Amino acid sequence: MSPVLSPDENKNTTGDEIESLAEFDAAVAAGSLAGRRVQSVDLTDRGAALLATDTSGAVFLGCPMESGPEKKVRADGAFVFPPVPGLPFDPYRGLLYSPDALYDGLARDGYEATPDALAYDWFQRTRSDGDVFASMLRALHDDAISDALEEVLDGARVVGVMGGHATARGSAAYTAAARLGRTLARAGLTVATGGGPGAMEAANLGAYAAPHPDAMLEKACAMLGEVPSFTPSVAAWARAAFAVRERWPDGGPSVAIPTWFYGHEPPNPFAASIAKYFTNALREDGLLARSNAGVIFLPGAAGTVQEIFDSTTPNYYESRGEPVPMVLVGHDHWTRELPAWPLLQTLAAGRKMESRIALVDTVEEAADALARLSGA
């Protein structure tokens, strides 16, 4: 199975970064915090350790601490970036989000009170007011997310699955996308999606179902089909997903990379690790650039078309090295309804990427096409 871990289990691999109390305590026991980066760790109860340990050249990002230890740390020459009060998100966070973190309070207070909804509301209020402080906070957060995503996906073979948010639960297209996610995960690949509803949720659900018996996925799709869309109620839509997770715990891991830029589309709860961004351009690049095992494009609309050509450009110029496989699913969709395939073929002609693109009719053919192109 994939090496991807849940956010609570993920360990950083950089050596200098400290992202948990356990890592902090280990560094103190080793004798020094000098030059280390301590990221979003509550050090309120570690005053004695801070007073007794060398912190010269360290950087503390959003770490609550008592005033006495903080004065000592600053006197050591450390940089201290204090927590920002009143925010619905942590701009310094060291780990990716989990579904439980983004949907905290859902059962008790409804979706509007969750951290996900509150962050979107904050973004809506600050995105166009020109406040440099708000812009800086968004940039800090998104940089921290990119760093955490890099750690989670270190060494993973990642396949991106793109598709429209409008694919309804209970539909044949949704179930097919879920089976695709399960097939890819069982092949040892890490499934990564845009993290929203529709085909994206289905692929993450399939990866979640991978360790379970085959019948589980069919039953889960039937349960979810009772709430086919996130409209009119995000709360009902999300609760149906959490009911599936509760009935079948210990699902397989996958990654979701959504954005508050499209915050009206809620993140699906089936990905173990959620890298949610404020800046959509960073989110798109983070998703496609990390899909090192290829990308499968299910039928979609404008967003999916954009993703096809965002993936095509580095393949065309080989700016990220060897072209990665691209599989488009749905012959009529991509040749008649939204004819992206003829243009993709024309661009690929005579280049290395020509042997790394394919158009298939059905979702069931996509995994085999991906494997074939990977050996090209």
Side-chain angles (χ1 to χ4, degrees), residues 89 91-92 122-123 132-147 277-279 282:
F89 64 94
Y92 307 109
W122 178 89
F123 179 51
V132 66
F133 185 54
S135 297
M136 182 193 73
L137 293 173
R138 292 194 296 268
L140 285 171
H141 171 274
D142 286 359
D143 184 71
I145 289 295
S146 290
D147 180 66
Y277 286 88
F278 288 107
T279 304
L282 288 175

Side-chain angles (χ1 to χ4, degrees), residues 8-269:
D8 292 338
E9 294 169 334
N10 180 51
K11 302 291 188 271
N12 81 74
T13 58
T14 63
D16 287 337
E17 295 177 11
I18 294 173
E19 298 167 343
S20 68
L21 277 175
E23 292 175 355
F24 177 86
D25 292 341
V28 169
S32 178
L33 291 166
R36 304 296 291 275
R37 276 69 174 131
V38 189
Q39 191 171 352
S40 192
V41 180
D42 189 343
L43 301 177
T44 306
D45 295 330
R46 294 299 191 274
L50 291 168
L51 291 170
T53 307
D54 180 13
T55 58
S56 58
V59 179
F60 294 86
L61 299 168
C63 299
M65 60 182 77
E66 299 291 346
S67 59
E70 181 177 342
K71 290 179 182 178
K72 179 266 181 188
V73 164
R74 291 182 183 273
D76 278 352
F79 291 90
V80 177
F81 294 79
V84 182
L87 286 179
F89 64 94
D90 179 2
Y92 307 109
R93 64 177 300 114
L95 303 174
L96 297 183
Y97 295 100
S98 67
D100 289 336
L102 285 176
Y103 282 104
D104 184 42
L106 175 71
R108 182 181 63 254
D109 302 316
Y111 175 69
E112 291 73 15
T114 64
D116 184 65
L118 294 173
Y120 179 50
D121 180 67
W122 178 89
F123 179 51
Q124 290 288 89
R125 288 185 285 106
T126 63
R127 63 189 295 184
S128 58
D129 63 6
D131 183 0
V132 66
F133 185 54
S135 297
M136 182 193 73
L137 293 173
R138 292 194 296 268
L140 285 171
H141 171 274
D142 286 359
D143 184 71
I145 289 295
S146 290
D147 180 66
L149 183 60
E150 198 69 36
E151 293 170 3
V152 166
L153 294 180
D154 183 44
R157 294 177 61 229
V158 182
V159 57
V161 179
M162 312 298 159
H165 71 271
T167 303
R169 291 170 171 175
S171 67
Y174 184 96
T175 301
R179 289 173 182 159
L180 172 64
R182 183 178 63 187
T183 297
L184 295 170
R186 286 179 175 176
L189 297 167
T190 295
V191 172
T193 78
M200 296 173 280
E201 180 188 53
N204 287 126
L205 167 64
Y208 184 89
H212 293 280
D214 287 357
M216 171 266 174
L217 184 58
E218 310 305 317
K219 294 175 182 177
C221 287
M223 283 180 62
L224 294 170
E226 296 177 5
V227 187
S229 174
F230 63 93
T231 58
S233 173
V234 173
W237 177 86
R239 287 183 186 124
F242 280 104
V244 168
R245 287 166 48 94
E246 184 177 357
R247 180 169 175 182
W248 293 283
D250 303 320
S254 65
V255 172
I257 308 180
T259 173
W260 279 295
F261 185 82
Y262 297 126
H264 61 288
E265 297 178 13
N268 77 74

Side-chain angles (χ1 to χ4, degrees), residues 302-320:
T304 310
V305 171
Q306 176 184 340
E307 288 160 345
I308 289 173
F309 292 105
D310 281 347
S311 184
T312 297
T313 301
N315 277 353
Y316 180 89
Y317 290 111
E318 299 179 41
S319 56
R320 295 177 184 148

